[in-house]
Amino acid sequence: MIPKSYCNCCEIHCVPPFSYQLLQDCTWAVGPPRIPIYRRQTPCRSLFRKFFLRGDVPISRYHGPQASRQFIKWHVPPEKLDFQRYLPLFFDGLCETAFPYREFARNGIRDMIAVAKEKQLLCCLPMLILPAKRALNTKDPDVIIATLRALQQLVQAGPCIGPALVPYYRQLLPIPNLFGAFNVNIGDRIDFQGGNRLGDVIDETLALLERTGGRDAYLNIKYMVPTYESRVLNR
């Protein structure tokens, strides 16, 4: 906005900031460009979709009597699959927003973690960080919530997974730090979203990471999310 103190008869010239031209009359500094830090990023085609269309993922749509609860029909039981190959592949599909790849990826992660042993998850944990980070960097609220839900289920699968995830907080927590303030104060009205707001899911995930991450979890979370307050120490 140009100050009103300038005369209407003179022509205002926009000049670069911090330059000697600003000392002249009828000049106005050009402001810095806005950085769209909250803009949604369009993800590239995931490897999960590529392998699924090629027939390398042994799943299909379930059309049985429990279709409302079960989305995936496993042609091979998930506990017999190679977790180091298929679980990172399902995590890579978290960035999908198109039907049915989105549902296949999210339900596949839930089913595989539910039947996995703790040792299997620890072996493939480093391979899950990059797909999870790529999904978070899309800045799509729905994708971020699905990724955080997958991380919640992951750390609850065994007592050793939470401490093993602490070194990867620097890759996973920048986006939760960016969107952590996305809370809505609805007052005394009813929340029809049922706790699925982005800010609430981020707070829930950070609290769960602190409880399951051991003694070093809070310091690492506080380093990446300065506004976070401990849920364990402040009881």
Side-chain angles (χ1 to χ4, degrees), residues 32-42 137-140 175 178-179 182:
R34 292 186 177 183
I35 302 177
I37 59 175
Y38 297 107
R39 180 190 298 174
R40 299 182 184 183
Q41 305 295 328
T42 303
N137 286 338
T138 60
K139 300 179 181 179
D140 189 331
I175 298 300
L178 182 64
F179 287 88
F182 276 49

Side-chain angles (χ1 to χ4, degrees), residues 174-211:
I175 298 300
N177 178 41
L178 182 64
F179 287 88
F182 276 49
N183 272 326
V184 179
N185 186 3
I186 62 174
D188 58 349
R189 291 177 294 173
I190 299 176
D191 186 8
F192 292 99
Q193 294 192 9
N196 290 324
R197 298 184 184 274
L198 181 56
D200 297 335
V201 176
I202 290 175
D203 291 340
E204 179 184 348
T205 304
L206 295 178
L208 184 60
L209 291 177
E210 182 188 3
R211 289 196 299 267

Side-chain angles (χ1 to χ4, degrees), residues 28-57:
W28 178 252
V30 179
R34 292 186 177 183
I35 302 177
I37 59 175
Y38 297 107
R39 180 190 298 174
R40 299 182 184 183
Q41 305 295 328
T42 303
C44 58
R45 187 175 182 180
S46 65
L47 290 177
F48 173 78
R49 181 188 292 199
K50 175 182 177 182
F51 281 89
F52 175 79
L53 294 177
R54 204 168 66 178
D56 292 342
V57 185

